[in-house]
Amino acid sequence: MTDAPEGATERSWPLWEVFVRGKRGLSHVHVGSLHAPDAEMALRNARDVYTRRQEGVSIWVVKADDVTASSPSEKDSFFDPAGDKIYRHPTFYDVPEDVEYL
Amino acid sequence: MYGNDVIDPNEPLNAAETGAYDAAAAHEDQREAIGSDFDALIAADQRIEPRDAMPDTYRETLIRQIAQHAHSEIIGMQPEGNWITRAPSLRRKAILIAKVQDEAGHGLYLYSAAETLGVDRQELLDRLHDGKQKYSSIFNYPTLTWADCGAIGWLVDGAAIMNQVPLCRCSYGPYARAMIRVCKEESFHQRQGFEILWTLMRGTEAQQAMAQDAADRWWWPALAMFGPPDTGEAAKGGHTEQSMAWGIKRFSNDDLRQKFVDMMVPQAEKLGIVLPDPHLRWNEERGHYDFGEIDWDEFWQVLRGDGPCNAERIEHRRRAHDEGAWVREAANAYAAKQTIRENEKESAA
Amino acid sequence: MSTMRNESLPGAAENTGAAPGDKPYAGYLLGLADDAMVYAQRLGEWMTNAPQIEEDMALGNIALDLLGQARGLYPYIGSIDGSGRGEDDYAMQRDERDWRNVHLVEQERGDFADEMARLLWFSAYQVELHTALTGSGDDVVAGVAGKALKEVRYHLDHASLWVVRLGDGTEESHRRMQAALDRVLPYVAELFDDDEASVLAVDRGAGVLPSSLHDRVEGRVAAVVAQATLTLPDGSRWRSRGGRSGIHSRPMGYLLAEMQHIARSHPGATW
């Protein structure tokens, strides 16, 4: 152990978040997490843990510590301001019903 | 895979194959309208997510429950894992490996859900190894014959699914989502168990006796899996009431046990297995099967640690973990070295 | 399926297809299948015993792949040797002298380093073997090899990652990984022995000469070992021999006893 750098002790491998693309054309979706010593191993563990039934065609792993998440307490200031910009949605617009391809 | 005369694959054989699962798995998100207040979300049957505010007791209860559930999956690998090398055919061997693998996977999904509550998996494993957290008592019974693999799939997994399907609607989002995945995968576990027994009951006399013996030994412990009575008088002072209010538990132990009995009796008849309960009979008035008294003394004895395999299960688990310590340390050390090397490369460039 | 013994055609050497009753060719294929079967059996022992739960799953997957390879070959072998036997006849009903796997795969489960050393050699061998066999004149063998190749590449990758981490990890893991490489070495040479059956399989354009795989396999292993800061040991004085002709080492009988005892205790039963 003398050549092991500081901090490399038993106390658990880091946590990785796993995202799987179910099939071509779909986005990667978060499916869970796992522990692995490094990214290479995390990817392979993710394959064995989360795609045993051919659930995926592509996997991302991200160190959980590297995910920055918005906080529920910031929810109002983060997301509510978009609420009144209803002109961003196509349904906002009144158009004659007989116009094609709209 | 479940060919010809075994059983119609479209006929539900366990709770994960019924409408109850679909209903539990489907969930309408109304958070927009309700906001983020814990009590309001619970009252409206909405999901609580990891970073939401939640009472400490809710968090602690969940950590305990999810961890015990995860531990049960991990310890639950052992009773069948010990038959992998002896499975009587290659097809059975492959199925058994895949099944024990699933149990490992389910343990990992659940630890992953528990970790969203701010606890480390290693901490939870330590608590398991030190006997501070429990796992399902059912796994403290031994697997004596090949037929036990069938009885575990049919009865133990059947009971587990019955318990778990309502949890697909659990108020805690990550737990509910893990349960949806687990139930879907476990449905195969219960079917393969049924199929093992079905084959044995249509085999030689010795095979039939083996199947009957296994059912005799596993029936009562399977009923005890739903936990002690918690309706009527027994409801007072238990966890059930609070857990129900929080949407962590959806049905009482007694309700689920009754549903399980009602589902299993016809399946036993189909198999040709006699369930070891002289009091088991259909009650027209209640619209349910009546069944005999569970030996709760035995239940508490096993739960306290004095079951046939308590010591063996924990010892096995601890040994595997301890023997692997140098491997896990090595991987950490390598990762740390690699980080240093990459940093050096970057600063050199 | 034929049950006749003497149907092998004159000129079978030119005819690369299966000739019923062809025992020597069946023997060659049995070597491939038995290696996979016996190693699957050993890897299955890791379930609930791996250093991390994720690794239980990984080793389980590898065991399942190998089991699948054996199951893909046994019924075909039954059609070639003329016996019409199925997978369970081969796996559950054969005595030790009829098994044709190498000693490497039958050795008892050691520690995790031992397993990774064995898996590194065996999967490197299987990668080269199945690469060559995808060109087999026997379509069934080429098909099995094509499917297996994808699997064994992953096995090799898995073993390589671990050998590197153990070799270049802590002092203890380095020492244990090196010791494991030393221990496994005497069992490696046997993989590359050209026995009569393999020579015959090559003559008919269906098999591959084991000795022809040696350098490439060793090259693969050496690269991983070097990256792991370990040393590939020199040849040992003693080396295993005889698996391909049914001469096995002590652990084999116990492995079979465990694997077969339920099936053999109930003659004629189905499961």
Side-chain angles (χ1 to χ4, degrees):
Chain A
M1 276 290 291
T2 48
D3 63 343
E6 200 82 44
T9 55
E10 155 69 311
R11 213 68 213 160
S12 86
W13 289 344
L15 188 68
W16 301 77
E17 300 296 340
V18 181
F19 301 79
V20 172
R21 184 199 290 285
K23 53 184 170 188
R24 294 185 66 86
L26 296 181
S27 305
H28 286 75
V29 174
H30 183 245
V31 293
S33 62
L34 50 76
H35 287 266
D38 54 52
E40 272 185 308
M41 296 299 279
L43 206 50
R44 283 153 183 87
N45 288 347
R47 177 248 198 196
D48 291 329
V49 176
Y50 289 104
T51 65
R52 292 194 303 294
R53 290 175 172 78
Q54 287 193 307
E55 291 95 336
V57 294
S58 161
I59 303 175
W60 291 346
V61 290
V62 182
K63 223 179 208 173
D65 284 348
D66 292 341
V67 175
T68 309
S70 66
S71 147
S73 63
E74 298 164 337
K75 181 179 161 288
D76 293 354
S77 57
F78 257 66
F79 304 113
D80 287 2
D84 63 354
K85 318 285 195 294
I86 49 175
Y87 39 79
R88 286 193 173 120
H89 300 277
T91 47
F92 176 72
Y93 300 93
D94 282 329
V95 293
E97 276 176 20
D98 52 358
V99 181
E100 282 187 87
Y101 306 120
L102 265 183
Chain B
M1 193 161 175
Y2 303 101
N4 45 55
D5 68 342
V6 173
I7 195 162
D8 179 356
N10 297 315
E11 190 180 316
L13 206 56
N14 58 67
E17 297 174 359
T18 63
Y21 171 77
D22 298 329
H27 182 264
E28 198 190 344
D29 186 9
Q30 300 170 337
R31 284 183 71 111
E32 255 338 280
I34 291 154
S36 56
D37 178 65
F38 178 81
D39 293 321
L41 285 168
I42 292 287
D45 199 17
Q46 291 298 291
R47 299 261 164 89
I48 306 297
E49 294 299 337
R51 289 167 62 90
D52 288 335
M54 61 184 93
D56 286 347
T57 41
Y58 175 83
R59 184 186 298 272
E60 281 154 23
T61 303
L62 269 173
I63 289 176
R64 196 188 60 233
Q65 183 176 333
I66 300 173
Q68 288 187 6
H69 197 163
H71 299 333
S72 300
E73 296 283 355
I74 298 305
I75 296 292
M77 294 166 69
Q78 290 181 32
E80 293 162 286
N82 109 65
W83 279 92
I84 287 175
T85 54
R86 296 178 288 168
S89 74
L90 295 188
R91 177 172 172 275
R92 291 290 174 205
K93 195 188 288 287
I95 292 169
L96 197 57
I97 293 174
K99 181 176 187 243
V100 175
Q101 227 188 359
D102 271 355
E103 281 151 10
H106 297 170
L108 293 181
Y109 304 161
L110 286 160
Y111 284 126
S112 156
E115 292 196 279
T116 63
L117 290 158
V119 61
D120 189 90
R121 180 166 111 198
Q122 188 53 50
E123 259 174 85
L124 300 177
L125 282 173
D126 287 346
R127 285 184 215 167
L128 168 69
H129 298 159
D130 297 344
K132 288 183 188 137
Q133 273 181 344
K134 300 206 178 305
Y135 53 89
S136 178
S137 270
I138 193 82
F139 300 118
N140 290 318
Y141 290 89
T143 39
L144 302 179
T145 72
W146 168 250
D148 289 37
C149 290
I152 288 185
W154 179 49
L155 294 173
V156 177
D157 291 320
I161 297 170
M162 186 62 80
N163 260 327
Q164 287 164 0
V165 161
L167 290 173
C168 298
R169 280 176 59 211
C170 165
S171 63
Y172 188 59
Y175 192 24
R177 290 190 286 274
M179 279 298 102
I180 289 172
R181 195 174 176 126
V182 166
C183 284
K184 207 160 130 196
E185 295 186 356
E186 280 210 347
S187 179
F188 126 66
H189 296 185
Q190 199 255 354
R191 271 184 183 260
Q192 66 86 37
F194 184 92
E195 196 202 54
I196 287 175
L197 295 177
W198 178 273
T199 309
L200 292 175
M201 289 306 290
R202 272 135 203 86
T204 64
E205 258 178 53
Q207 285 178 304
Q208 289 172 29
M210 197 191 281
Q212 181 62 54
D213 167 61
D216 287 346
R217 283 180 290 108
W218 289 94
W219 173 250
W220 288 108
L223 291 193
M225 279 175 74
F226 295 94
D230 59 352
T231 43
E233 270 303 294
K236 289 167 191 157
H239 292 301
T240 299
E241 203 180 343
Q242 177 64 78
S243 291
M244 286 228 190
W246 275 337
I248 295 174
K249 196 173 167 66
R250 295 280 172 178
F251 298 97
S252 71
N253 297 346
D254 294 314
D255 282 350
L256 289 171
R257 186 166 19 242
Q258 181 69 60
K259 276 194 198 185
F260 178 70
V261 171
D262 290 348
M263 187 175 247
M264 288 298 121
V265 173
Q267 290 185 19
E269 281 164 7
K270 209 163 214 164
L271 284 168
I273 279 174
V274 182
L275 293 172
D277 180 357
H279 299 103
L280 196 64
R281 65 176 57 85
W282 178 251
N283 183 326
E284 193 63 51
E285 210 173 300
R286 292 201 308 127
H288 292 291
Y289 283 92
D290 289 338
F291 53 97
E293 188 65 32
I294 293 168
D295 181 352
W296 292 109
D297 290 341
E298 178 183 311
F299 174 81
W300 292 114
Q301 183 186 334
V302 178
L303 197 71
R304 274 197 311 269
D306 192 14
C309 301
N310 293 60
E312 180 188 330
R313 300 289 184 236
I314 286 294
E315 166 57 25
H316 182 125
R317 177 59 223 153
R318 214 189 267 152
R319 182 174 40 73
H321 190 74
D322 291 348
E323 283 177 359
W326 68 274
V327 175
R328 297 190 299 274
E329 276 167 25
N332 268 340
Y334 176 80
K337 284 184 195 177
Q338 284 297 91
T339 308
I340 292 170
R341 283 169 194 155
E342 272 157 33
N343 290 343
E344 279 168 1
K345 222 186 286 172
E346 264 171 42
S347 57
Chain C
M1 255 171 236
S2 170
T3 51
M4 301 292 290
R5 281 188 173 204
N6 297 318
E7 282 183 75
S8 79
L9 305 167
E14 289 84 46
N15 177 359
T16 52
D22 186 345
K23 291 245 165 165
Y25 183 48
Y28 172 73
L29 297 178
L30 215 41
L32 306 182
D34 287 351
D35 280 354
M37 180 66 239
V38 172
Y39 198 25
Q41 175 75 3
R42 282 295 183 217
L43 286 171
E45 296 174 9
W46 276 98
M47 299 297 285
T48 75
N49 288 305
Q52 183 87 346
I53 301 163
E54 282 86 348
E55 191 61 24
D56 280 298
M57 305 192 69
L59 294 175
N61 269 350
I62 296 175
L64 281 175
D65 287 342
L66 292 172
L67 187 53
Q69 291 170 19
R71 295 179 72 192
L73 283 167
Y74 283 139
Y76 180 56
I77 296 168
S79 74
I80 289 184
D81 68 14
S83 68
R85 284 178 287 180
E87 57 179 38
D88 288 327
D89 297 318
Y90 285 101
M92 301 298 172
Q93 305 294 338
R94 268 184 308 153
D95 291 335
E96 183 172 333
R97 291 283 285 113
D98 298 326
W99 284 77
R100 299 184 48 91
N101 54 285
V102 291
H103 291 200
L104 173 72
V105 292
E106 73 199 30
Q107 296 313 302
E108 279 159 358
R109 184 169 70 90
D111 71 7
F112 189 67
D114 285 317
E115 203 56 81
M116 289 305 107
R118 166 156 68 177
L119 185 61
L120 178 65
W121 274 109
F122 187 69
S123 59
Y125 159 76
Q126 277 205 311
V127 165
E128 292 302 338
L129 172 74
H130 290 304
T131 302
L133 286 179
T134 48
S136 169
D138 183 332
D139 290 344
V140 174
V141 171
V144 169
K147 180 174 174 293
L149 188 55
K150 290 184 207 161
E151 298 165 349
V152 300
R153 279 191 183 129
Y154 192 85
H155 306 170
L156 176 58
D157 175 67
H158 189 78
S160 303
L161 288 178
W162 270 119
V163 170
V164 167
R165 275 151 189 76
L166 297 180
D168 193 14
T170 63
E171 258 177 35
E172 182 188 5
S173 70
H174 181 88
R175 177 175 52 74
R176 291 174 82 141
M177 193 63 238
Q178 185 62 56
L181 285 175
D182 297 348
R183 272 195 295 270
V184 80
L185 191 74
Y187 298 97
V188 169
E190 191 184 349
L191 286 168
F192 307 106
D193 284 344
D194 297 334
D195 63 327
E196 206 180 317
S198 59
V199 173
L200 210 123
V202 171
D203 285 347
R204 66 188 296 155
V208 50
L209 210 55
S211 61
S212 71
L213 304 173
H214 175 268
D215 291 355
R216 282 195 302 276
V217 173
E218 194 180 65
R220 283 181 183 276
V221 170
V224 175
V225 167
Q227 199 199 334
T229 70
L230 297 161
T231 320
L232 201 58
D234 292 331
S236 56
R237 198 182 313 170
W238 175 85
R239 48 149 294 186
S240 69
R241 281 188 180 82
R244 299 275 185 241
S245 50
I247 308 288
H248 292 281
S249 57
R250 187 192 53 82
M252 184 64 180
Y254 294 92
L255 179 144
L256 291 180
E258 185 175 356
M259 184 165 88
Q260 299 179 335
H261 94 269
I262 305 290
R264 291 217 188 194
S265 303
H266 300 265
T270 52
W271 300 94

